[in-house]
Amino acid sequence: MRSLTRSEARRRAALLSVTSMEVDLDLSRGEHTFVSTTTIRFRCAEPGAATFLDLKPVELTSLTLNGSPLDPAGLDDGRIGLEGLAEDNTVVVVATMAFSRDGQGLHRAVDPADGEHYVYGHLFLDAAPSVFACFDQPDLKAPYAVSVTAPEAWQVIGNGAATQVRPGRWQLASTQPLATYFVTVCAGPYASVRSEHDGIPLGIHARASLREPLERQAEQMLEVTRASFDYYHRLFGIRYPFGEYHQVFVPEFNAGAMENPGCVTFRDTYVFRGAAARDEVLTRTNTIAHEMAHMWFGDLVTMRWWDDLWLNESFAEYMAHRTTVDATEFTEGWVDSTVARKMWGYAAERTPSTHPVAGGAALDAQAALQDFDGISYAKGAATLRQLIAHIGDEAFIAGVGAYLREHAYGNGTLGDFLGFMERASGKDLGEWSKAWLLTAGLDVIAADQSGGVVTRQVPEAFPADRPHTLDVAGFTGSEEVFRVAATLVGDTTEVPALTAAPRARLVVPNASDLTWATVALDAGTLAAVPSGLAQVPDAQARAVLWAALVDGVCLGTVDPRTVVETFGSAWPKEHNESVLNRIATAVLGRVVTTFVPHAEQSQARAVIAGAAAELLQSSEPGTTRALLAARFLARSSSDEELLRRWAAGDGLPPGLEDDSDFRWLVVRNLAGRGLVDPGFVEEVRSQDDTLAGLLGSLSARAAMPGPDAKSWAWEEITANRERSNYELNALAAGFWVEDDLDVLRGYVPRYFAELPQMAQWVGADALGRVATLAYPARVVEQATADASAAALAAGGGHLTPAVRRSIVDADSELREALRSRAVFG
Ligand SMILES: [Zn+2]
């Protein structure tokens, strides 16, 4: 289906202003479709002119413009023309719409735990017309009055406060002006916890089968919500403008969360049914604060077009870390940012699909989806941190407040935002924004203590004079022997304080992680890292060292064996839980499975398992450190006796006795080693008959070795059209767990032939994720790279933009592994 272009959006915004939207949804008509009735009142600046309405129904029942019926047959490829407009117009559309299974539009899920159905709207990008007729672009905002008919046992939650006017009939309060992509309705027998803060009614909701963990965890989430409201009210000087504030944890959600005003949706894996690590609660806390920041930045003031998407996401990403550190117990939020977010962004910067933070093309709405990446989030946030270092926090906050007040309930652009920053700071930001926002690329920073210099290497492909404000720290044993601040101007900056300081064993450039750059460690530091990293007393500097090691592996400058060795010695002694979790995930999930040569992988996995066993042994039972240790042991261990015991529920570490998610980690490892059969997996699933249990079983079955098991899993991914987005992800995540490359090789050509075809029945956002997970990254061979290149070169309509993007990025990562193996053997 075609996607709205920027020039079409400009023309339509110049012509129209939408006065009001009335949307009536009847969700009581069965499991597959619903009836949508929309009344749009809008003004036209040039009476007599024509425009078009966006609409993606199963069946268009009727359409009237100013009382005159239009022929439904005029609907073509998601659009219907409206001609001879008056100054004031009313369009009424009645249509039958389809519930979705891919997390886009109005998604409907069934909970196997109790057979209950749940519906939620995710209208982001261009899914709104599959729920109601509209002018679908971010700068045609309007107040919404939504009403819903639903089964009587259901609860309805939406952007406006919901009132049940009679059994099964709900009226939602009229909203402030909203962009189309922010409208949502969540309906089903949701379980709820309600509260209030500073006059704002609060609600937290999840599936009924998650009621117990929801009620157990709600207070922590409410506390974060209250603290964030106080913080943002103080910082921005503008009260939260959207009435009630609901946070709904919904099934099979593609992203982490979505900032619908008054009704934020989250993936419901954030309601932890088993034990949760500190790092996981931190991530949820960060997401809550991120979505709340959007209430001002994104929702109150919305980007005019998708090309300024970064402005929303970079700001929310930056604010979430800041709020987590300043207003919650998670004062280590910036360390988490290094290992959880910036490493993701650096990886994005190394692929051919990297792009400037701002000023991207986003010629149509679908193209904009491709920019939802580590650049828009992590680099954008790092760039804002550099901006604050450049102009000062006071000017930054004053500028943000002025920008929000000026454009409240409307739209803004990068130019508007920078204008307010310049006025608040009195500084010209032209050069600064050209280097940091309008040019892609990642500099490499290195420090030479004896030479007294810090160097900056600018990538040839993206020349720019990026100024870096940073610090360099030196450590010997557990002592910090120096920390010096520097602003890099040009490629070599003299920092005499380095030579004056005591000689350090480990030198860490960008030790506080203030700037956006790959850190290259000097030879002495690299040699000292395996034995010295664990003793570094500063968690932030340790995180920077870990990131430098993993980035070095990807760049082919650090031997993956050095990282495995360092993992074995330093990881069990690590005290920051974000570092523990994220680095183990990166090392086990990528360094070991792709960079380490195939023949050495089981040995490397044994090092991971040994480190996990050591951490489990040395941690206090029941702590979240012990939990993380047990999880990585369950994932990496080859000890069949231990795994079987744990699968049977015997001798489990304290706190994991009834933890079904932990059990699935064990079962998947057993399955991947061919030690259990499908009957065993189904038996475990029958004891955990939930959505999570279904996904665990699919992943375990897909992980089973041998031609028959792989053939079954591949068919389920590429040919079973009933599979939901989450089921596809689970299958794809398990598929490449297989040590026999002869079995896997056959699926390399099949991936390129069959996966792109799935665009016929899976939405772009969902399929992009499946395409990444299902990519043959385990087959680190030139033939795989050649097959990627051939698929990308084929052109035409063979690959949708989302699938193409997934292949470009996965191919780039595969080539990093090939390069590393060529260098280090
Ligand atoms: Zn966001």
Side-chain angles (χ1 to χ4, degrees), residues 635-718:
R635 285 176 61 180
S636 59
S637 179
S638 61
D639 182 346
E640 182 180 350
E641 192 270 325
L642 172 80
L643 294 171
R644 285 199 185 277
R645 211 154 27 84
W646 280 0
D650 296 334
L652 286 160
L656 292 171
E657 292 87 353
D658 296 309
D659 193 314
S660 301
D661 294 329
F662 182 75
R663 193 182 190 195
W664 281 116
L665 292 181
V666 176
V667 170
R668 180 166 137 176
N669 189 351
L670 281 166
R673 293 172 191 277
L675 298 172
V676 295
D677 60 17
F680 178 87
V681 173
E682 288 311 312
E683 173 63 27
V684 175
R685 176 163 115 78
S686 71
Q687 294 159 23
D688 180 24
D689 198 6
T690 61
L691 266 181
L694 170 63
L695 301 175
S697 71
L698 290 175
S699 212
R701 287 201 54 185
M704 288 181 180
D708 293 348
K710 290 302 158 200
S711 170
W712 174 85
W714 193 256
E715 289 295 311
E716 287 299 313
I717 296 169
T718 57

Side-chain angles (χ1 to χ4, degrees), residues 259 290-291 294 312-313 316 377:
E259 65 268 25
H290 176 112
E291 304 311 323
H294 274 312
N312 286 4
E313 295 308 342
Y377 287 78

